[in-house]
Amino acid sequence: MRNRKARLTAFAGALALVTGFGVPAYAQTAAAPTHAQTTAAPSSMVADAGAPAVYGRAAYLMDARSGAALFGKAADTRMPIASLTKTMTAYVVLRSAKPTDLVEIAPQDARYAEDGGGTTADLRPGDRLPVGELLYALMLPSGADAAHALARTYGPGVPGFVAKMNATARSLGMNDTHYVNADGLPTPAGDGWSTARDQAVLAAKALQVPLIEGVAGTRYHEVAATDEHGAYGWRNTNRLLAEPGAIGLKTGFTRAAGYSLAFAGERDGRRLVGVILGESISSRRFDTAQALLSWAPTRASA
């Protein structure tokens, strides 16, 4: 499924936020999930009787600052996560890259998105874009071309980058997560996988990076043409951003994964982070996320 090309405009996008992290020096690979792990729905947490209905196959809600679990449904069940993968891509890139670093778009980046049937930011080969702008291309229209360009550059090479993604997952305690690429598209060798709980842990950590938080909360972003690149315009696929207090973070979809959503919001002075996996109706994941965010303060004060 492809995004429609956004109308090109000539307004400049400012990059004022920077980050700096060290890159893990090791890489580990987790074992593939068993049939029982991908189909069973046990969770170490039982949701309150008064919690909103959650129709996705798995979900998890937590207090981002304290780490306290507020809701869980099959929270530890391993399953495909589609484009939620791109949150880790953004996080790993900013551990070694500056937002002002330039990345040249190669023909294989555009072909990768086209051939794989992934969503695309319609990046043009030969354009040289700052990493900060490519994060918008990665997170708003969920550009597989942007993911490929970033992984190819900062692996170096896609396999090297995926190894960094898996190493970073281990360092964050995401022991039920395994990435096979930088975008979440299915591969002939199989899909990557994670859990609602692991993705919530990642979401809370990624949103501590100011640039990721800023990008994830942007509904539309325009890039003015320069001598280095043409003009672009990207619209966020996250409908939750229309709700007061919503922060982001990432949408996803493949046939195997269903509709997914990593989300966050501020409620009663607290930051809440949640994940919904395996939803069968696209719009319902946003309604469910909003319901969970509204219900959580009641649960927390009970």
Side-chain angles (χ1 to χ4, degrees):
M1 182 173 62
R2 268 192 64 130
N3 293 336
R4 292 183 179 178
K5 289 187 176 180
R7 292 186 178 275
L8 301 180
T9 57
F11 295 94
L15 290 175
L17 300 172
V18 296
T19 60
F21 297 90
V23 180
Y26 61 94
Q28 301 178 23
T29 300
T34 64
H35 177 73
Q37 287 171 321
T38 57
T39 58
S43 174
S44 58
M45 180 178 177
V46 178
D48 284 11
V54 174
Y55 298 93
R57 288 193 292 145
Y60 190 68
L61 183 72
M62 62 181 279
D63 184 303
R65 295 187 176 95
S66 70
L70 302 175
F71 177 89
K73 174 184 177 181
D76 301 310
T77 300
R78 295 175 177 180
M79 60 185 68
I81 59 168
S83 287
L84 299 198
T85 298
K86 296 184 178 92
T87 300
M88 180 62 88
T89 299
Y91 185 72
V92 171
V93 164
L94 288 178
R95 292 169 74 102
S96 59
K98 296 178 181 177
T100 52
D101 290 347
L102 293 179
V103 172
E104 183 167 348
I105 306 305
Q108 60 263 41
D109 301 326
R111 285 198 304 268
Y112 175 82
E114 296 282 353
D115 295 346
T119 48
T120 173
D122 295 312
L123 300 176
R124 305 178 195 88
D127 276 3
R128 300 178 74 235
L129 287 150
V131 164
E133 299 291 14
L134 282 177
L135 290 186
Y136 287 97
L138 176 76
M139 301 292 282
L140 272 60
S142 200
D145 46 358
H148 194 270
L150 289 166
R152 176 180 53 78
T153 302
Y154 289 101
V158 174
F161 189 83
V162 173
K164 289 180 180 179
M165 294 172 70
N166 284 312
T168 302
R170 301 290 85 75
S171 73
L172 295 177
M174 298 167 59
N175 296 318
D176 289 308
T177 296
H178 179 61
Y179 296 104
V180 298
N181 54 29
D183 48 76
L185 287 172
T187 75
D191 294 350
W193 39 265
S194 188
T195 67
R197 188 190 303 270
D198 273 9
Q199 288 302 300
V201 168
L202 172 62
K205 192 69 174 179
L207 286 171
Q208 293 177 8
V209 181
L211 182 53
I212 293 179
E213 179 180 357
V215 169
T218 300
R219 299 178 70 177
Y220 185 75
H221 183 71
E222 298 170 335
V223 183
T226 71
D227 292 340
E228 299 283 359
H229 57 77
Y232 292 93
W234 298 303
R235 191 172 302 280
N236 203 323
T237 58
N238 190 352
R239 287 174 42 191
L240 188 64
L241 292 177
E243 301 294 337
I247 298 171
L249 170 68
K250 189 71 191 73
T251 62
F253 172 77
T254 64
R255 289 183 180 179
Y259 295 99
S260 57
L261 179 67
F263 60 94
E266 299 285 349
R267 292 293 187 276
D268 293 351
R270 303 169 68 211
R271 172 162 294 189
L272 306 173
V273 170
V275 172
I276 298 168
L277 301 177
E279 172 61 82
S280 60
I281 300 174
S282 176
S283 60
R284 194 162 60 189
R285 58 186 159 163
F286 304 111
D287 296 337
T288 300
Q290 176 63 15
L292 285 170
L293 289 172
S294 297
W295 164 81
T298 302
R299 162 64 174 81
S301 61

